[in-house]
Coordinates of all heavy atoms in Angstrom, one line a residue:
Chain C
K378 N 47.9 83.8 51.1 CA 47.7 82.5 50.5 C 46.5 82.4 49.7 O 46.3 81.3 49.1 CB 47.8 81.5 51.7 CG 49.1 81.3 52.3 CD 50.1 80.8 51.4 CE 51.4 80.7 52.2 NZ 52.6 80.7 51.3
A379 N 45.6 83.3 49.7 CA 44.4 83.2 48.9 C 44.6 83.8 47.5 O 45.6 84.5 47.3 CB 43.3 83.9 49.6
E380 N 43.7 83.5 46.6 CA 43.8 84.1 45.2 C 43.5 85.6 45.4 O 42.9 86.0 46.4 CB 42.7 83.5 44.4 CG 42.8 82.0 44.2 CD 43.9 81.6 43.3 OE1 44.3 82.5 42.5 OE2 44.3 80.5 43.3
P381 N 43.9 86.5 44.5 CA 43.7 87.9 44.7 C 42.3 88.3 45.0 O 42.0 89.1 45.9 CB 44.2 88.6 43.4 CG 44.8 87.5 42.7 CD 44.8 86.2 43.3
Y382 N 41.3 87.6 44.3 CA 39.9 87.9 44.5 C 39.5 87.5 45.9 O 38.7 88.2 46.5 CB 39.0 87.2 43.4 CG 39.8 86.9 42.2 CD1 40.1 85.5 42.0 CD2 40.1 87.8 41.3 CE1 40.8 85.2 40.9 CE2 40.9 87.4 40.2 CZ 41.2 86.2 39.9 OH 41.9 85.7 38.9
G383 N 40.1 86.4 46.3 CA 39.7 85.9 47.6 C 40.3 86.8 48.7 O 39.6 87.1 49.6
S384 N 41.6 87.2 48.5 CA 42.2 88.1 49.5 C 41.4 89.4 49.7 O 41.2 89.8 50.8 CB 43.6 88.5 49.1 OG 44.3 87.4 48.6
S385 N 40.9 89.9 48.5 CA 40.1 91.2 48.8 C 38.9 90.9 49.5 O 38.5 91.8 50.4 CB 39.8 91.8 47.4 OG 39.0 90.9 46.7
V386 N 38.2 89.8 49.4 CA 37.0 89.5 50.2 C 37.4 89.2 51.6 O 36.8 89.7 52.6 CB 36.3 88.3 49.6 CG1 35.1 87.9 50.5 CG2 35.8 88.6 48.3
L387 N 38.6 88.5 51.8 CA 39.0 88.2 53.2 C 39.3 89.4 53.9 O 38.9 89.5 55.2 CB 40.2 87.3 53.1 CG 40.1 85.9 52.8 CD1 41.5 85.2 52.6 CD2 39.3 85.2 53.8
Q388 N 40.0 90.4 53.3 CA 40.3 91.6 54.1 C 39.1 92.4 54.4 O 39.0 92.9 55.5 CB 41.4 92.4 53.5 CG 41.2 93.0 52.1 CD 40.5 94.3 52.2 OE1 40.5 95.0 53.2 NE2 39.9 94.6 51.1
A389 N 38.2 92.4 53.5 CA 36.9 93.1 53.8 C 36.1 92.4 54.9 O 35.6 93.1 55.8 CB 36.0 93.1 52.6
M390 N 36.2 91.1 55.0 CA 35.6 90.3 56.1 C 36.2 90.7 57.4 O 35.5 91.0 58.4 CB 35.7 88.9 55.9 CG 34.8 88.3 54.9 SD 35.3 86.5 54.6 CE 34.4 85.8 56.0
S391 N 37.5 90.7 57.5 CA 38.1 91.0 58.8 C 37.9 92.5 59.2 O 37.7 92.8 60.4 CB 39.6 90.7 58.9 OG 40.2 90.4 57.8
L392 N 37.9 93.3 58.2 CA 37.6 94.8 58.6 C 36.2 94.9 59.1 O 36.0 95.6 60.1 CB 37.7 95.7 57.3 CG 37.7 97.0 57.8 CD1 39.1 97.7 57.7 CD2 36.7 97.9 57.1
I393 N 35.2 94.2 58.5 CA 33.8 94.4 59.0 C 33.6 93.7 60.3 O 32.9 94.2 61.2 CB 32.8 94.0 57.9 CG1 32.9 95.0 56.8 CG2 31.4 93.9 58.4 CD1 32.0 94.9 55.7
S394 N 34.3 92.6 60.5 CA 34.1 91.9 61.8 C 34.7 92.9 62.9 O 34.3 93.0 64.0 CB 34.6 90.5 61.9 OG 35.4 90.2 60.9
L395 N 35.9 93.5 62.5 CA 36.5 94.4 63.5 C 35.5 95.5 63.9 O 35.3 95.8 65.0 CB 37.7 95.1 62.8 CG 38.5 96.2 63.6 CD1 39.9 95.9 63.6 CD2 38.2 97.5 63.1
I396 N 34.8 96.1 62.8 CA 33.9 97.2 63.1 C 32.8 96.8 63.9 O 32.4 97.4 64.8 CB 33.6 97.9 61.8 CG1 34.9 98.7 61.3 CG2 32.4 98.8 61.9 CD1 34.7 99.2 59.9
A397 N 32.2 95.6 63.5 CA 31.0 95.1 64.2 C 31.3 94.9 65.7 O 30.5 95.4 66.5 CB 30.5 93.8 63.5
F398 N 32.4 94.3 66.0 CA 32.7 94.0 67.3 C 33.2 95.2 68.1 O 32.9 95.3 69.3 CB 33.8 92.9 67.5 CG 33.2 91.5 67.3 CD1 33.2 90.8 66.3 CD2 32.5 91.0 68.5 CE1 32.6 89.5 66.1 CE2 31.9 89.7 68.4 CZ 32.0 89.0 67.2
I399 N 33.8 96.1 67.4 CA 34.3 97.3 68.2 C 33.1 98.1 68.6 O 33.0 98.7 69.6 CB 35.4 98.1 67.4 CG1 36.2 98.9 68.5 CG2 34.9 99.0 66.5 CD1 37.4 99.6 67.9
I400 N 32.1 98.2 67.7 CA 30.9 99.0 68.0 C 30.2 98.3 69.2 O 29.8 99.0 70.1 CB 30.0 99.2 66.8 CG1 30.7 100.1 65.8 CG2 28.7 99.8 67.1 CD1 30.0 100.3 64.5
A401 N 30.1 97.0 69.1 CA 29.4 96.3 70.2 C 30.1 96.5 71.5 O 29.5 96.9 72.6 CB 29.3 94.9 69.9
M402 N 31.5 96.4 71.5 CA 32.2 96.6 72.7 C 32.1 98.0 73.2 O 32.0 98.3 74.4 CB 33.8 96.3 72.4 CG 34.0 94.8 72.5 SD 35.6 94.4 71.8 CE 36.7 95.5 72.5
F403 N 32.1 99.0 72.2 CA 32.0 100.4 72.6 C 30.7 100.6 73.3 O 30.5 101.4 74.3 CB 32.1 101.3 71.4 CG 32.0 102.7 71.6 CD1 32.9 103.4 72.4 CD2 30.9 103.4 71.1 CE1 32.8 104.7 72.7 CE2 30.8 104.8 71.4 CZ 31.7 105.4 72.2
R404 N 29.6 100.0 72.8 CA 28.3 100.2 73.4 C 28.2 99.6 74.8 O 27.6 100.2 75.7 CB 27.2 99.6 72.5 CG 26.9 100.5 71.3 CD 26.0 99.8 70.3 NE 24.7 99.7 70.9 CZ 23.7 98.9 70.4 NH1 24.0 98.3 69.3 NH2 22.6 98.8 70.9
I405 N 28.8 98.4 74.9 CA 28.7 97.8 76.3 C 29.7 98.3 77.2 O 29.4 98.7 78.4 CB 29.0 96.3 76.1 CG1 27.9 95.7 75.1 CG2 28.9 95.5 77.3 CD1 28.1 94.3 74.7
F406 N 31.0 98.4 76.8 CA 32.1 98.7 77.8 C 32.6 100.1 77.6 O 33.6 100.5 78.2 CB 33.2 97.8 77.6 CG 32.9 96.4 77.8 CD1 32.8 95.5 76.7 CD2 32.5 95.8 79.0 CE1 32.5 94.1 76.8 CE2 32.2 94.5 79.2 CZ 32.2 93.7 78.0
G407 N 32.0 101.0 76.8 CA 32.5 102.3 76.5 C 32.7 103.1 77.8 O 33.5 104.0 77.8
T408 N 31.9 102.8 78.8 CA 32.1 103.6 80.0 C 33.2 103.2 80.9 O 33.6 103.9 81.9 CB 30.7 103.6 80.9 OG1 30.4 102.2 81.0 CG2 29.6 104.3 80.2
L409 N 33.8 102.0 80.6 CA 34.9 101.7 81.4 C 36.1 102.6 81.2 O 36.4 103.0 80.1 CB 35.4 100.2 81.0 CG 34.5 99.0 81.4 CD1 35.1 97.8 80.8 CD2 34.3 99.0 82.8
D410 N 36.9 102.8 82.3 CA 38.0 103.8 82.2 C 39.1 103.2 81.3 O 39.8 103.9 80.6 CB 38.6 104.1 83.6 CG 37.5 104.6 84.5 OD1 36.6 105.4 83.9 OD2 37.6 104.5 85.7
I411 N 39.2 101.8 81.4 CA 40.3 101.1 80.7 C 40.1 101.1 79.3 O 41.1 100.9 78.5 CB 40.5 99.8 81.4 CG1 41.9 99.3 81.2 CG2 39.5 98.8 80.8 CD1 42.2 98.1 82.0
F412 N 38.9 101.3 78.7 CA 38.6 101.0 77.3 C 39.5 101.8 76.4 O 40.1 101.2 75.5 CB 37.1 101.3 77.1 CG 36.6 101.0 75.7 CD1 36.3 99.8 75.3 CD2 36.4 102.1 74.8 CE1 35.9 99.5 74.1 CE2 36.0 101.8 73.5 CZ 35.7 100.5 73.2
K413 N 39.5 103.1 76.6 CA 40.3 103.9 75.7 C 41.8 103.6 75.7 O 42.4 103.5 74.6 CB 40.1 105.4 76.0 CG 38.8 105.9 75.7 CD 38.7 107.4 76.1 CE 37.4 108.0 75.7 NZ 37.2 109.4 76.2
G414 N 42.3 103.4 76.9 CA 43.7 103.1 77.0 C 44.1 101.8 76.3 O 45.1 101.8 75.5

Side-chain angles (χ1 to χ4, degrees):
Chain C
K378 291 296 176 202
E380 303 283 344
Y382 340 103
S384 313
S385 58
V386 176
L387 284 175
Q388 59 89 17
M390 281 173 82
S391 15
L392 191 110
I393 290 189
S394 20
L395 175 134
I396 284 169
F398 276 102
I399 202 175
I400 290 175
M402 276 162 53
F403 178 67
R404 286 172 66 191
I405 297 171
F406 302 108
T408 48
L409 289 181
D410 302 331
I411 203 169
F412 182 79
K413 287 181 180 177

